[in-house]
Amino acid sequence: MNTILYIVIPCYNEEQVLPITAKMFLEELMLLIEKGKIAKESKILFVNDGSKDCTWEIIKQLSKENKKFRGISQSRNRGHQNAVLAGMMEAKEEAADIVISIDCDGQDDITAMEQMVDGYHKGFEVVYGVRSNRDSDTFFKRFTAQAFYKLLDKMGVEIVYNHADYRLISARVLKEFANFKEVNLFLRGMIPLVGFKSTCVYYERHERIAGKSHYPMVKMLALALEGITSLSIRPLRLIMGLGTIGAIISFIGVVWALLKGLSGHTIAGWTSMVCIVCFIGSIQLICIGIIGEYIGKIYMEVKQRPRYIISERTCEKEGA
Ligand code: UDP
Ligand code: MG
């Protein structure tokens, strides 16, 4: 089979886990080559996302030991999404036929790659890795994760339930995806927008093999907000709806107050007045905040700054 696979793996401060999982990725790649499902030119591409520990040194050492390993390094830490994008675009330029993106901590079942590649050979251009259960998560993580997907769905962002960034995409999808120039990245919401035939592969997600998560609660919330405001304007519509309902209630209130005033039955209502002022004031502030979030997004988009800057490569780009 002549399908060239690139496994794109973002790494940020992963010196503890990388030496363990790099071997696992290589084993899976070799297995797929032996089974004839992918070409022997296939590669494992690490993207160092400005790590502050020895991650990049480890990647360089790995690529010295085995030609199947490649590495690119971002000039500074830009976050997981940008790191994955940098890897995908590098794979595209190196003429990969399919790209699988996966985290480097061994949480996602590496052996599910075979099913993903099979999916591609059956004619699917996108294969989403979907967690079959969340038994390994704490109740809190499970609850917040579910709320995350539900909220995104309600806000008009089309994403695959329980899918993170473990997925296979074909060169065709990659080529079209390269035309999505936005700087506010939320890959799992953007890939479905590209379209093409897609399917899901289910796998069990494990605990991290070593090291600790870079996505605590606050970052998860930031990602949800980023996802919603990057891909949907439904919150702005909700503000319109809220404003309309508020206006109707106010109108009724005004008529009532006028009638009361004219009939001479006005009351001293200081408390009710303060409550109304505070309530309306806070709603207005929230609405301005949401609008501000969109203006901020436009501000970032119009600057058109590069989404990633590659400062080093373990070897020259093919054809360079
Ligand atoms: N990561 C990255 N840049 C960052 C943070 C994380 O490239 O700024 C990588 C990290 O090395 C890992 C993946 O993104 O391969 C997912 O991160 P993590 O495992 O910490 O997130 P979680 O699985 O806990 O959501
Ligand atoms: Mg992880």
Side-chain angles (χ1 to χ4, degrees):
M1 196 67 73
N2 284 326
T3 310
I4 299 178
L5 164 69
Y6 267 62
I7 304 175
V8 168
I9 308 167
C11 310
Y12 177 58
N13 293 347
E14 298 284 11
E15 62 181 8
Q16 285 181 28
V17 76
L18 199 54
I20 309 167
T21 49
K23 277 198 209 97
M24 295 160 66
F25 288 122
L26 185 63
E27 269 167 29
E28 183 66 19
L29 190 86
M30 296 314 288
L31 187 78
L32 291 176
I33 294 174
E34 265 166 41
K35 288 191 177 177
K37 295 192 175 183
I38 55 171
K40 58 181 189 321
E41 292 82 12
S42 300
K43 298 264 167 351
I44 295 167
L45 177 66
F46 294 109
V47 184
N48 173 39
D49 187 20
S51 301
K52 291 175 182 67
D53 62 4
C54 295
T55 302
W56 181 234
E57 281 65 39
I58 296 170
I59 293 172
K60 282 198 281 194
Q61 186 57 34
L62 283 168
S63 60
K64 236 183 251 166
E65 285 165 13
N66 194 321
K67 288 270 167 291
K68 292 264 177 287
F69 290 119
R70 282 273 174 89
I72 55 176
S73 187
Q74 296 220 80
S75 60
R76 52 160 295 169
N77 178 248
R78 290 293 304 271
H80 171 242
Q81 300 287 296
N82 296 64
V84 174
L85 178 76
M88 292 197 315
M89 291 304 133
E90 182 83 2
K92 174 179 169 280
E93 281 168 33
E94 300 222 348
D97 296 306
I98 46 176
V99 175
I100 294 179
S101 52
I102 183 169
D103 293 350
C104 88
D105 54 13
Q107 282 192 281
D108 299 316
D109 182 7
I110 296 173
T111 55
M113 284 187 198
E114 184 167 349
Q115 272 172 280
M116 289 186 169
V117 174
D118 288 344
Y120 170 75
H121 289 312
K122 278 186 203 141
F124 293 100
E125 305 276 347
V126 183
V127 185
Y128 297 104
V130 176
R131 302 174 63 158
S132 56
N133 71 54
R134 285 186 169 265
D135 292 348
S136 62
D137 282 350
T138 59
F139 170 77
F140 183 69
K141 175 95 189 179
R142 228 179 304 162
F143 176 75
T144 49
Q146 250 166 24
F148 172 83
Y149 287 102
K150 294 237 164 77
L151 181 69
L152 286 169
D153 186 49
K154 286 269 174 300
M155 287 295 154
V157 179
E158 190 192 324
I159 52 167
V160 177
Y161 188 66
N162 266 347
H163 159 71
D165 280 303
Y166 184 20
R167 77 178 81 78
L168 175 147
I169 60 173
S170 70
R172 256 174 96 194
V173 175
L174 206 52
K175 184 171 156 261
E176 299 305 330
F177 180 68
N179 295 324
F180 285 61
K181 301 286 184 200
E182 58 226 69
V183 286
N184 297 293
L185 292 176
F186 188 64
L187 298 174
R188 68 187 87 165
M190 290 162 72
I191 299 288
L193 294 177
V194 184
F196 293 96
K197 240 177 114 185
S198 67
T199 185
C200 296
V201 160
Y202 296 87
Y203 68 94
E204 272 186 37
R205 192 162 145 112
H206 312 290
E207 303 270 346
R208 233 175 193 277
I209 287 183
K212 57 178 193 295
S213 169
H214 304 95
Y215 277 94
M217 190 56 199
V218 180
K219 270 204 182 174
M220 275 282 285
L221 276 175
L223 189 69
L225 192 67
E226 181 78 18
I228 295 166
T229 52
S230 297
L231 293 160
S232 159
I233 56 162
R234 200 167 283 178
L236 294 176
R237 297 246 167 85
L238 286 179
I239 291 177
M240 270 286 284
L242 200 67
T244 314
I245 294 169
I248 294 168
I249 295 171
S250 313
F251 182 72
I252 298 168
V254 167
V255 173
W256 175 74
L258 278 177
L259 288 177
K260 279 274 183 196
L262 288 175
S263 61
H265 287 106
T266 37
I267 37 159
W270 180 83
T271 316
S272 56
M273 191 61 89
V274 170
C275 291
I276 292 168
V277 170
C278 291
F279 179 70
I280 301 288
S282 56
I283 296 278
Q284 279 177 335
L285 278 181
I286 293 173
C287 295
I288 294 172
I290 295 174
I291 297 169
E293 182 68 30
Y294 282 95
I295 296 176
K297 286 262 146 61
I298 300 168
Y299 173 72
M300 296 308 288
E301 293 294 344
V302 292
K303 281 177 194 279
Q304 292 194 323
R305 284 183 182 151
R307 297 179 290 179
Y308 55 87
I309 298 170
I310 295 169
S311 56
E312 262 183 272
R313 287 185 166 80
T314 52
C315 72
E316 281 302 306
K317 257 206 280 190
E318 237 137 69

